Amino acid sequence: MGIPLIQMYRVGSYLAARKLRGEKHIPLVLMLEPLFQCNLACAGCGKIDYPKEILQKRMSVKDALNAVDECGAPCVSIPGGEPLIHSEMPEIVAGIVARKKFVYLCTNAILLAKHIDEYQPSPYLTFSIHLDGNRQRHDESVCQEGVYDKAVAAIRLARGKGFRVTINCTLFVGVDPKEVADFFDEAMTLGIEGITVSPGFSYQHAPRQDVFMGRSASKKLFRDVFALRRTGSPRSRWAFNQSSLFLDFLAGNQSYQCTPWSTPTYNVFGWQRPCYLLSDQGYAPTYRSLIDDTDWAAYGVGRNARCNNCMAHCGFEGTAVDDAFRHPLKALKVSLFGPRTSGPMAPELPLVESDVRPPSAVVIPVTQMTRARRKTESRRQAVGPG
Ligand code: SF4
Ligand code: SF4
């Protein structure tokens, strides 16, 4: 596991206390999006296709910390956009650390060398660096040459200064299992604490729709990758910043349903219903309203066509953690021996018929994974998301 024991203990105690109180919708990770603006334009990004006036919006320190207090989750992930563009990010992070919450500051690392001294190393602060693969793969994924080298240099810099560092890796269609395994080997040599990995979610607003894998392709890929992790080899040193049962789910061994309330999202529009990924289902004015007034039964695999392709950690990590809490021996076994990589897969939940083109229908070579020209008519309008 790529998560320190103290953090696992704190999150476990928090979960136990909330369960003892009989709570049904328990938040584990707050997704705090203080801005949507970014200094990259990646092929699979569903966050940056807003008009200029929305990209220029910034969440205030006060609103960010109020959201942290309102939600109460023990972990806070700060994606974006690119958080390091936000001039008050050091204050936001310091406020969260002062509350003894575990912060994951998700960054493409381009600005990290410039801003790193605005942050203090802490057991509560982790830089989660966006890295989708080896040099060629990552630079193609972010549609800009040289970003991989900057990210690797930033990882070395942050580790040298004593910061906790993980990488955040999204896998897209056409990726080769051995290449992924080699990349994980390489990433571990950088001294990172762990890898967060997910198949890309097929954002409706992403500039390229043909880069996303379907669920079957994702599960097969993860099985093939995990099969390359052999005991006694350097690959046995892979550490993941995710629960063992979430990895088991990625490998097709668990029929989990999404629990989006476990990862609530607060951004410049308010509390986003129902999750971090769907941005056109409306916003709640308060965290309490998000939990009480959202029709949770309308979302998840087999309930909503937009969820058909989703295996993202923001939907299913909470489910896996809950399962581990109920079945610790099962979780321990997967943790010790890794996810099963052969034999039948767990039954798939029935999918909802979708008018959206199946994401796995088109396979493109990675060399063509460049950002398509944006069409003005397809961009979101200035009035808000959706
Ligand atoms: S995926 Fe991340 S780094 Fe890439 S454009 Fe989107 S917010 Fe920026
Ligand atoms: S499955 Fe869950 S996390 Fe994924 S898009 Fe649907 S509601 Fe969001």
Side-chain angles (χ1 to χ4, degrees), residues 48-77:
I48 53 169
D49 203 17
Y50 287 107
K52 192 174 161 195
E53 53 271 36
I54 289 177
L55 293 177
Q56 287 176 339
K57 274 181 186 274
R58 301 287 185 268
M59 187 185 293
S60 69
V61 177
K62 184 166 170 278
D63 284 351
L65 297 180
N66 280 347
V68 171
D69 292 337
E70 246 192 291
C71 169
C75 304
V76 180
S77 177

Side-chain angles (χ1 to χ4, degrees), residues 65-381:
L65 297 180
N66 280 347
V68 171
D69 292 337
E70 246 192 291
C71 169
C75 304
V76 180
S77 177
I78 307 182
E82 170 51 54
L84 297 182
I85 291 176
H86 194 307
S87 61
E88 294 181 308
M89 191 48 55
E91 286 92 324
I92 293 175
V93 168
I96 303 172
V97 167
R99 286 161 169 76
K100 299 199 167 171
K101 309 275 184 190
F102 295 98
V103 191
Y104 286 83
L105 185 56
C106 306
T107 172
N108 58 39
I110 291 174
L111 293 171
L112 191 55
K114 183 176 172 194
H115 292 289
I116 197 160
D117 291 330
E118 296 163 16
Y119 299 87
Q120 299 296 319
S122 160
Y124 292 101
L125 172 60
T126 303
F127 287 112
S128 172
I129 311 276
H130 176 186
L131 212 50
D132 286 345
N134 62 28
R135 180 180 288 107
Q136 183 190 351
R137 176 74 58 179
H138 185 64
D139 285 354
E140 284 166 0
S141 182
V142 303
C143 306
Q144 193 176 121
E145 277 184 22
V147 177
Y148 174 90
D149 288 337
K150 285 181 187 161
V152 167
I155 289 171
R156 293 203 166 103
L157 175 70
R159 289 297 298 128
K161 286 180 177 277
F163 286 97
R164 293 178 63 187
V165 180
T166 60
I167 62 160
N168 190 342
C169 172
T170 305
L171 299 181
F172 296 98
V173 75
V175 76
D176 171 58
K178 181 166 182 311
E179 179 194 306
V180 177
D182 289 345
F183 167 65
F184 287 172
D185 289 346
E186 187 182 318
M188 292 310 298
T189 66
L190 297 172
I192 59 166
E193 188 173 290
I195 301 164
T196 304
V197 64
S198 252
F201 175 74
S202 47
Y203 284 110
Q204 282 188 312
H205 295 289
R208 291 290 300 260
Q209 289 296 308
D210 48 3
V211 297
F212 303 111
M213 288 181 285
R215 294 174 72 85
S216 304
S218 295
K219 292 175 194 175
K220 176 160 185 341
L221 171 67
F222 280 103
R223 278 199 169 191
D224 291 348
V225 172
F226 294 145
L228 293 168
R229 183 192 197 189
R230 290 189 199 89
T231 312
S233 76
R235 289 187 176 149
S236 63
R237 291 199 287 272
W238 291 350
F240 292 95
N241 190 46
Q242 290 157 307
S243 70
S244 61
L245 288 181
F246 178 75
L247 300 176
D248 210 37
F249 162 72
L250 290 180
N253 300 322
Q254 304 291 338
S255 299
Y256 285 154
Q257 182 53 280
C258 167
T259 50
W261 56 83
S262 60
T263 315
T265 296
Y266 183 75
N267 59 33
V268 295
F269 299 113
W271 293 94
Q272 181 168 297
R273 300 186 204 275
C275 69
Y276 174 71
L277 300 169
L278 300 183
S279 62
D280 55 0
Q281 305 290 296
Y283 291 82
T286 62
Y287 173 72
R288 188 39 50 203
S289 164
L290 172 79
I291 295 300
D292 292 346
D293 305 333
T294 301
D295 181 11
W296 298 111
Y299 301 101
V301 183
R303 297 172 178 165
N304 190 307
R306 295 185 180 198
C307 301
N308 279 352
N309 184 44
C310 183
M311 294 183 77
H313 45 86
C314 62
F316 296 89
E317 178 66 272
T319 314
V321 169
D322 189 60
D323 191 24
F325 198 82
R326 292 167 195 270
H327 304 101
L329 288 181
K330 177 170 86 168
L332 180 65
K333 187 175 160 204
V334 179
S335 185
L336 289 175
F337 302 109
R340 184 167 53 79
T341 57
S342 59
M345 291 198 184
E348 184 57 273
L349 299 176
L351 301 185
V352 173
E353 206 170 311
S354 169
D355 55 358
V356 179
R357 178 167 45 86
S360 57
V362 179
V363 177
I364 57 162
V366 72
T367 47
Q368 290 177 21
M369 262 182 65
T370 53
R371 186 175 175 85
R373 239 182 116 99
R374 286 186 183 182
K375 294 190 177 81
T376 309
E377 63 272 18
S378 71
R379 295 185 66 181
R380 297 180 217 192
Q381 298 304 304

